[in-house]
Amino acid sequence: MSGVTGTGQRFCQALDLVDSPALIEEYLAYHQRIWPEIATHLREHGILDMEIYRLGTRLFMIVEVSSGFDAERFDAAGLSNPHVQRWEALMWHYQVATPWTPQGEKWVVMERIFSLKQQ
């Protein structure tokens, strides 16, 4: 989640899945009930809500964070948490970076291009 600052906001990210119906089904099954350690980690670090949507192999994630959310602290905590590291390694078996994702990253923050509220 690098590059995200905490102002009590919502942001969106994208990632792709490996193009395999069997692997996609496994990925979906893991997300029916994520590991409790992962849910705890997210909540303890200012994630208020998180939703993931899928269209084919494209994933779209909406994340709502608290006003005190610190992306660098969140990233560092994940790197030092063995449950998060195991989860991320497992998920990477199903995930693939989008063509626009910088080298070494997974979920990439999307640019908002429209808001009805601002019209």
Side-chain angles (χ1 to χ4, degrees):
M1 287 201 204
S2 37
V4 178
T5 58
T7 57
Q9 64 182 347
R10 175 178 56 198
F11 57 95
C12 302
Q13 296 178 301
L15 181 67
D16 288 342
L17 291 172
V18 173
D19 193 3
S20 161
L23 291 178
I24 290 171
E25 286 304 313
E26 287 179 29
Y27 183 84
L28 296 176
Y30 273 112
H31 284 80
Q32 291 305 303
R33 176 66 66 184
I34 65 171
W35 298 350
E37 299 88 354
I38 301 305
T40 297
H41 171 78
L42 294 171
R43 291 183 179 116
E44 285 179 347
H45 290 91
I47 306 292
L48 301 175
D49 197 14
M50 178 182 284
E51 297 177 336
I52 300 175
Y53 296 83
R54 179 177 74 94
L55 176 64
T57 59
R58 178 69 35 96
L59 298 176
F60 172 72
M61 181 167 63
I62 302 170
V63 182
E64 291 187 39
V65 298
S66 67
S67 60
F69 179 76
D70 182 325
E72 289 182 15
R73 189 173 141 241
F74 177 77
D75 290 343
L79 290 173
S80 65
N81 183 317
H83 297 290
V84 172
Q85 289 304 298
R86 282 196 305 274
W87 176 264
E88 290 300 328
L90 176 62
M91 292 302 107
W92 197 234
H93 176 71
Y94 306 102
Q95 299 166 334
V96 95
T98 73
W100 309 279
T101 302
Q103 183 69 26
E105 294 186 28
K106 289 174 78 169
W107 288 96
V108 65
V109 175
M110 300 175 75
E111 176 186 1
R112 183 174 74 182
I113 62 167
F114 173 80
S115 170
L116 182 60
K117 288 180 181 180
Q118 295 178 351
Q119 298 293 313

